């Protein structure tokens, strides 16, 4: 897929910024109810950087009045404010998914920027914090190549979720934090110091234009394109920072627009007897093996370039590092053991990685 694909059915530019320093790519599908709140928040975030910038809104395969509402919003923009590049597309079935839409949006937004410009992306049902871009720039200026922001649920929507859905989210949040704590104790990443949230989410990603180009852009996969981008960056030895100060508030609705997305994950406890859990989760013993092997490789690799690619190759080739995707019942069963391991590892962080890998 390229920015010059044949699927664009309409395009309008409201405002004409001179070579902006920031561009925000937003894919949207049937988001009429949410879109103006997202655009308002993005405008505030751009204004906090000193003004200017462009918002690229890609409305894909919509059946509602998202385009009309975005157009009405854009007509109220001040002359010295950000521009809205509004693109209406009809993607064919092979590309009409989360990764395909975000890839096209980011490619089109990237065209507005210089190599040093900041390319960010969020979701149409998300409201970035007022300091979203200024905090992002701080992380980029400190050496990050990809900045992954922290996602927080809309408080009112969270309170209205069924108890089973909230309980699963809380337990999986505990499993994630304990896993991250173990990983950072055994194999600390200098580019991503603890504490951090550890998630790559399309609701808040940002990088410079040159780094987007270097990795060949966002992988146009049907889902989890955000994590695929983070892995691609790491494999190119580009530092990935999971920045807690970079914040967005997103919807926790259970009827989403993309297959395999957040909404489907939230709704799973109500529709499946034992749903799959996060693809990054590993049983405690395998988690210890993975992070210990990575620590050994990092120590022996030293300062030479290519560590990211070497780890990606080892991870793909070694059966000892793989495991089946965990189900919800397995996560619950392993949580007490993971907590014990975290207590041991974090209390003895100098324990040799070789012993832990055995």
């Amino acid at each position: 897929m390229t920015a010059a694909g044949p699927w664009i059915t309409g395009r309008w530019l409201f405002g004409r910024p001179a070579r902006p320093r920031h561009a925000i790519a937003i894919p949207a599908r049937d988001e009429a109810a949410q879109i103006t709140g997202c655009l308002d928040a993005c405008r505030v975030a751009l204004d906090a950087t000193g003004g200017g910038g462009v918002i690229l809104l890609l409305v894909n395969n919509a059946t509602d009045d998202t385009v009309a509402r975005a157009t009405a919003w854009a007509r109220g923009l001040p002359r010295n404010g950000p521009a809205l590049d509004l693109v209406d597309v009809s993607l064919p079935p092979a590309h009409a998914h989360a990764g395909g839409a975000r890839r096209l949006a980011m490619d089109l937004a990237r065209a507005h920027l210089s190599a040093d410009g900041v390319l960010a992306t969020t979701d149409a049902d998300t409201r970035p914090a007022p300091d979203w871009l200024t905090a992002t720039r701080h992380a980029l200026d400190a050496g990050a190549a990809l900045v992954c922001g922290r996602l927080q649920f809309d408080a009112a929507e969270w309170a209205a979720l069924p108890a089973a859905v909230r309980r699963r989210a809380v337990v999986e949040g505990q499993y994630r934090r304990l896993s991250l704590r173990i990983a950072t104790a055994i194999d600390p990443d200098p580019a991503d110091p603890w504490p951090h949230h550890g998630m790559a989410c399309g609701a808040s990603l940002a990088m410079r234009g040159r780094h987007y180009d270097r990795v060949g852009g966002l992988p146009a996969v049907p889902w989890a394109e955000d994590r695929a981008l983070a892995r691609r960056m790491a494999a190119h030895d580009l530092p990935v920072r999971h920045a807690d100060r970079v914040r967005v508030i997103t919807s926790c609705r259970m009827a989403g627009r993309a297959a395999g997305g957040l909404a489907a994950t939230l709704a799973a406890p109500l529709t499946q007897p034992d749903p799959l859990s996060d693809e990054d989760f590993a049983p405690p013993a395998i988690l210890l093996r993975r992070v210990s092997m990575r620590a050994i490789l990092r120590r022996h690799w030293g300062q030479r370039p290519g560590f990211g690619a070497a780890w990606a190759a080892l991870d793909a080739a070694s059966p000892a590092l793989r495991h089946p995707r965990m189900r919800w019942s397995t996560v619950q069963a392993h949580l007490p053991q993971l907590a014990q391991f975290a207590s041991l590892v974090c209390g003895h962080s100098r324990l040799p990685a070789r012993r832990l890998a055995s």
Side-chain angles (χ1 to χ4, degrees):
M1 180 181 297
T2 69
W7 312 295
I8 296 177
T9 57
R11 188 170 185 178
W12 307 267
L13 183 63
F14 300 89
R16 299 190 178 278
R19 208 59 166 173
R21 296 171 59 213
H22 306 88
I24 303 173
I26 309 171
R29 182 173 184 175
D30 292 342
E31 293 287 3
Q34 302 270 3
I35 193 59
T36 55
C38 175
L39 293 173
D40 281 339
C42 288
R43 175 185 166 184
V44 170
L46 282 167
D47 287 344
T49 68
V54 61
I55 302 169
L56 188 294
L57 177 62
L58 184 94
V59 182
N60 61 98
N61 303 71
T63 60
D64 67 0
D65 61 347
T66 300
V67 169
R69 294 202 180 190
T71 299
W73 178 88
R75 296 197 188 283
L77 288 172
R79 289 189 177 182
N80 61 346
L84 176 68
D85 189 354
L86 176 57
V87 187
D88 190 10
V89 301
S90 180
L91 297 175
H95 299 286
H97 48 64
R102 195 181 304 278
R103 169 61 188 257
L104 182 54
M106 294 185 73
D107 284 354
L108 292 169
R110 168 66 184 94
H112 285 283
L113 296 170
S114 68
D116 284 330
V118 176
L119 174 62
T121 185
T122 190
D123 292 330
D125 65 346
T126 297
R127 303 186 307 276
D131 65 347
W132 180 53
L133 288 175
T134 53
T136 292
R137 285 198 67 97
H138 178 80
L140 291 171
D141 291 342
L146 176 66
V147 178
C148 306
R150 182 170 187 163
L151 182 151
Q152 297 173 308
F153 286 141
D154 178 277
E157 291 186 7
W158 169 259
L161 288 175
V165 174
R166 285 185 280 128
R167 179 173 180 273
R168 182 191 179 198
V170 168
V171 170
E172 290 197 342
Q174 293 172 338
Y175 202 96
R176 181 183 306 281
R177 285 190 295 274
L178 289 169
S179 298
L180 287 171
R181 191 65 190 96
I182 291 170
T184 53
I186 296 173
D187 180 38
D189 182 353
D192 199 22
W194 182 260
H196 62 78
H197 59 83
M199 292 185 67
C201 180
S204 182
L205 298 173
M207 68 229 75
R208 298 193 189 277
R210 66 175 183 273
H211 292 141
Y212 185 76
D213 298 343
R214 180 173 166 184
V215 301
L218 179 88
V221 293
W223 55 79
E225 76 284 356
D226 36 23
R227 300 183 191 204
L229 176 63
R231 289 192 295 269
R232 185 175 284 186
M233 287 277 185
H236 281 76
D237 283 332
L238 294 174
V240 177
R241 178 75 173 109
H242 301 95
D244 285 344
R245 287 183 54 198
V246 179
R247 298 165 296 118
V248 299
I249 296 175
T250 196
S251 172
C252 50
R253 62 193 179 191
M254 292 190 294
R257 310 293 185 261
L262 175 61
T265 299
L266 286 171
L270 305 180
T271 60
Q272 303 172 38
D274 193 12
L276 292 169
S277 284
D278 193 288
E279 64 183 43
D280 288 342
F281 288 177
I286 297 179
L287 171 67
L288 286 171
R289 183 182 303 137
R290 287 180 56 81
V291 298
S292 300
M293 290 300 296
R294 192 174 63 207
I296 292 169
L297 180 64
R298 193 189 301 273
R299 184 170 64 245
H300 287 285
W301 201 267
Q303 299 301 312
R304 292 175 293 155
F307 167 77
W311 168 247
L314 177 61
D315 191 14
S318 174
L321 299 177
R322 291 195 290 271
H323 58 89
R325 190 166 171 182
M326 296 175 69
R327 292 196 173 271
W328 166 231
S329 59
T330 313
V331 169
Q332 294 181 91
H334 280 310
L335 185 60
Q337 185 186 29
L338 189 71
Q340 292 177 349
F341 281 9
S343 178
L344 170 66
V345 170
C346 297
H348 301 83
S349 58
R350 296 183 181 275
L351 194 63
R354 248 187 213 92
R355 283 182 57 192
L356 292 169
S358 60

